[in-house]
Amino acid sequence: MSWWLDITDLDEDQKNVIDLPPTGDYLFLGPPGSGKTNLLLIRAEYLIRTKYPNLFVLMFNEPLHDFVVRGGVLYDVPAAKIRKMLSWELVLLRENGVLLKDLPEDDLDAKRKALAKKVLELLDTNPKLENHLECLLVDEVQDCFPEEVEVFFRCAKHVCFAGDNRQRIFSSHSVIPAIQERVKTIELKTHYRIGHEICRAADVVGEAAGFSSILDTCNYNDAESKVQFSCCSTDEEQINKIVEALTVQLTAYPDELLAVVGPRKRDRDFLREQLEASALAPLILPHRSSGSDDPNQRIYVAHLLEIKGLEFRTIHLALMQHIHRLRENQKRIAYTAITRAKTTVSVYFTGKIPGYLEQAQVAVEPPKPRPPLEDLFPKKKKGRK
């Protein structure tokens, strides 16, 4: 995360967010890299330092939670106030004697809905728990269920959400419009983290999903960015290329996180197994950990749903021939994955990738010559064989 160290690091829109009254309900919307998570943490510190310390900052999953806890110390937000959404609900229920034996464990969506339902039932039976917190600050709210959003509104006197519909990866249905009817919305237009070439590739994927452009609002001023696609003959060739690239990048980008990501859990497990058999094994972060006390461990291996909200200097998107298996959410997931990187995105595949990724490849590679018309017909193709 690009943590802010001084007020001069902020633009006017971001300063206006910090200057909002301490009471009120707010939603921060903005593209990747616009500072939404930073703003949540600064707002939390602002509330803590005024007269509203009874709050929690809720993160969507464990890797993002760990990532933010490490940065939260810069903003004087205690780690105990930064919680994973599900664990916060579980503690609330246990504190009030609610039994949790019947929760579904094999289906995360079902578990989330069941937990939210139990919290709402608790509030119904014990109205004194309504608004028992001063504020809940929730990141990545675009992927919350309506039941979870209702929990937030009922548990806290005030809420503060941050999100971006383009990065909604768990559901094809958005809660953002319903939230906007209940809060004041602040839109952040400019982003700073993502290089121009990466924005260009993301915009092609985003266009296929009906998103607005982020290239036009890019204010990136770091190292020149690049996006590269590698069609490999085998999955093992993908691994070899990734190891070769990481070996260089670990030296080129000291102290920064580098990611290797596959579409599914089985892809992640394959990537981890192969990388742990390489010379890079000591440099790989523990499973589902986005940080380490060992400064040498800087390679984060994950599947695409585990990089939500994170950022990396470079990202290697491997085994992308399988991304179509993510079905109706695949375009938003691909978009979110591409926009996790600051400087370099490398896409690896064996065989074919979906058309929207092929179009992104065309956008970032030198133009190819137009084929002669006669080459388009079967007789000519047979002759070439």
Side-chain angles (χ1 to χ4, degrees):
M1 189 74 66
S2 302
W3 306 111
W4 295 330
L5 303 179
D6 190 86
I7 190 70
T8 58
D9 293 335
L10 282 65
D11 63 27
E12 290 306 311
D13 288 340
Q14 293 163 339
K15 291 176 184 176
N16 290 338
V17 168
I18 293 178
D19 202 32
L20 289 169
T23 58
D25 299 324
Y26 304 104
L27 169 64
F28 308 150
L29 293 179
S34 57
K36 299 183 294 297
T37 303
N38 273 297
L39 288 170
L40 276 187
L41 289 173
I42 290 178
R43 178 144 186 93
E45 181 184 356
Y46 175 68
L47 293 173
I48 291 168
R49 293 175 63 176
T50 51
K51 56 179 182 178
Y52 306 99
N54 189 23
L55 59 78
F56 287 107
V57 182
L58 301 184
M59 296 291 133
F60 205 88
N61 58 24
E62 184 175 356
L64 179 57
H65 167 266
D66 294 348
F67 198 60
V68 171
V69 164
R70 291 177 182 276
V73 296
L74 297 173
Y75 299 136
D76 289 332
V77 180
K81 293 184 183 295
I82 304 173
R83 305 285 288 276
K84 297 187 289 290
M85 187 173 66
L86 290 187
S87 66
W88 169 74
E89 289 178 314
L90 285 167
V91 169
L92 177 61
L93 291 168
R94 287 171 179 152
E95 284 177 344
N96 289 276
V98 178
L99 297 177
L100 301 171
K101 294 180 180 179
D102 57 342
L103 288 177
E105 295 297 335
D106 297 330
D107 185 333
L108 179 58
D109 287 355
K111 181 177 181 179
R112 288 171 53 195
K113 290 180 180 180
L115 272 176
K117 181 180 178 182
K118 284 184 177 292
V119 175
L120 294 174
E121 289 172 349
L122 171 64
L123 297 173
D124 289 338
T125 57
N126 188 352
K128 291 184 179 180
L129 283 173
E130 295 270 354
N131 305 134
H132 65 279
L133 296 170
E134 294 299 323
C135 189
L136 278 174
L137 303 97
V138 184
D139 202 10
E140 304 287 337
V141 74
Q142 72 274 2
D143 272 313
C144 289
F145 292 124
E147 301 94 323
E148 293 169 328
V149 173
E150 192 62 25
V151 165
F152 305 147
F153 275 107
R154 290 183 62 181
C155 281
K157 295 182 179 72
H158 302 289
V159 294
C160 187
F161 300 128
D164 177 18
N165 251 336
R166 289 166 290 200
Q167 299 178 69
R168 177 167 38 89
I169 63 176
F170 287 103
S171 172
S172 56
H173 302 288
S174 174
V175 296
I176 295 293
I179 291 175
Q180 289 181 291
E181 294 178 0
R182 304 171 69 174
V183 303
K184 178 178 180 179
T185 301
I186 296 94
E187 294 201 31
L188 306 166
K189 301 177 179 64
T190 306
H191 64 94
Y192 300 86
R193 187 191 71 221
I194 307 166
H196 292 82
E197 192 74 356
I198 297 173
C199 290
R200 188 170 290 109
D203 276 351
V204 173
V205 175
E207 182 181 12
F211 300 162
S212 57
S213 170
I214 60 171
L215 180 60
D216 298 339
T217 57
C218 178
N219 202 15
Y220 176 85
N221 58 6
D222 206 332
E224 184 178 353
S225 66
K226 63 180 179 179
V227 179
Q228 49 200 18
F229 287 75
S230 296
C231 179
C232 302
S233 57
T234 65
D235 294 348
E236 287 70 24
E237 183 185 350
Q238 294 187 41
I239 297 295
N240 292 336
K241 286 180 177 288
I242 291 169
V243 170
E244 182 179 352
L246 283 172
T247 302
V248 175
Q249 292 167 349
L250 285 162
T251 301
Y253 305 117
D255 306 321
E256 299 216 47
L257 279 179
L258 315 176
V260 181
V261 186
R264 305 165 297 171
K265 290 181 179 179
R266 68 178 67 180
D267 302 322
R268 173 203 63 196
D269 294 344
F270 171 78
L271 292 169
R272 177 171 284 279
E273 178 184 356
Q274 295 295 311
L275 290 173
E276 287 180 343
S278 75
L280 300 179
L283 312 180
I284 299 172
L285 285 161
H287 177 55
R288 289 183 61 81
S289 175
S290 57
S292 171
D293 294 331
D294 182 350
N296 293 316
Q297 292 183 328
R298 296 192 287 117
I299 301 173
Y300 180 66
V301 183
H303 64 75
L304 286 174
L305 300 186
E306 291 177 323
I307 59 174
K308 182 179 182 62
L310 302 179
E311 65 180 52
F312 309 95
R313 176 56 69 178
T314 71
I315 190 166
H316 298 268
L317 300 176
L319 306 173
M320 290 295 279
Q321 68 269 19
H322 299 308
I323 193 171
H324 70 279
R325 299 183 183 277
L326 301 183
R327 297 182 173 180
E328 66 270 13
N329 292 327
Q330 62 178 287
K331 292 175 185 176
R332 288 192 299 273
I333 293 171
Y335 176 91
T336 301
I338 291 169
T339 57
R340 297 308 89 206
K342 300 177 184 179
T343 302
T344 305
V345 175
S346 300
V347 180
Y348 307 85
F349 57 98
T350 301
K352 293 290 185 180
I353 50 177
Y356 60 88
L357 285 178
E358 290 179 321
Q359 197 65 47
Q361 181 177 3
V362 169
V364 299
E365 291 184 349
K368 297 178 180 179
R370 294 176 61 181
L373 293 182
E374 58 269 22
D375 282 5
L376 303 177
F377 293 88
K379 183 177 180 180
K380 191 71 175 180
K381 292 177 183 176
K382 185 177 180 180
R384 286 205 305 271
K385 295 177 183 178

